Amino acid sequence: MDVLASNQERLESVSKGVVESSEDSASSNSPMTRRAVAHLRKILNISLEITDIIWQRRIAEKNKSTIRYSLGDVVQHKKYGFRGVVVAWDHKPSIDVSRWDGLSHIENPNELPFYHIVPDQNDCIQAFGGERPFRYVCDENLEKCPPNRTLLEVDLDSDDWRWDQSKGKYLAPDGLKLKYAEDIGDDNTTASCMAAMKEEITKIHM
């Protein structure tokens, strides 16, 4: 619910007149015009962020059946052996991966899901000779990490990501779960409220 509360607070601040004037709007001679522009810009930014979340969620809902691993799952690479945490995924790769050496054994990798992985740094030193901030890995090259090997040294924001020993995985922040159509335990209330917010903001612009 944090993502919903955050957007509600931002909209409330706009309604109360709490805005920051930018350099662009400061060039106007009229204080009233500067304030109006600042209000509209802030509302537009909120609208764009909400639209982006809703759009990504719809894509995730449409393609979720093809995704084997969820946010926070601890996985390991079949070939290189490094372990890591799933922090995002694409139902198809965002770039052309057909010429990647590590995918030569996989048929048509451009049609398969890819995962954004934050890897264990000790594993990366062993596998690649140095640390790596993230890896972009094809579904076919991943497998679930054994329960006795899920203790990792990874660079995740401890304020957003929490380790859940009982589930053997990291718990992603609600905002990220919302984007990837994962359950945040609110019976879809947050998604519905954000859609309603977007509709009301659209009415303002119209």
Side-chain angles (χ1 to χ4, degrees), residues 4-19:
L4 178 60
S6 174
N7 281 296
Q8 285 178 324
E9 289 174 5
R10 292 169 67 191
L11 287 172
E12 287 173 3
S13 70
V14 174
S15 68
K16 294 175 182 177
V18 181
V19 295

Side-chain angles (χ1 to χ4, degrees), residues 5 9 19 40 54 67 79-80 93 114 118 125 131 133-134 145 154 170 174 186 190 195 201:
E9 289 174 5
V19 295
L40 290 173
I54 293 173
I67 304 302
K79 180 178 179 180
Y80 298 112
F114 268 67
V118 174
I125 291 173
E131 297 184 353
F134 74 93
C145 188
V154 290
Y170 288 84
D174 284 350
D186 70 342
T190 299
I201 292 174

Side-chain angles (χ1 to χ4, degrees), residues 66-97:
T66 67
I67 304 302
R68 286 198 297 164
Y69 304 110
S70 60
L71 299 175
D73 278 349
V74 180
V75 294
Q76 67 181 16
H77 198 284
K78 294 178 181 179
K79 180 178 179 180
Y80 298 112
F82 67 83
R83 299 161 297 162
V85 182
V86 175
V87 297
W89 53 260
D90 300 314
H91 71 283
K92 291 182 180 180
S94 57
I95 56 177
D96 182 7
V97 298

Side-chain angles (χ1 to χ4, degrees), residues 102-115:
L103 303 176
S104 58
H105 64 292
I106 298 174
E107 182 178 355
N108 204 7
N110 280 318
E111 297 299 317
L112 297 175
F114 268 67
Y115 298 84

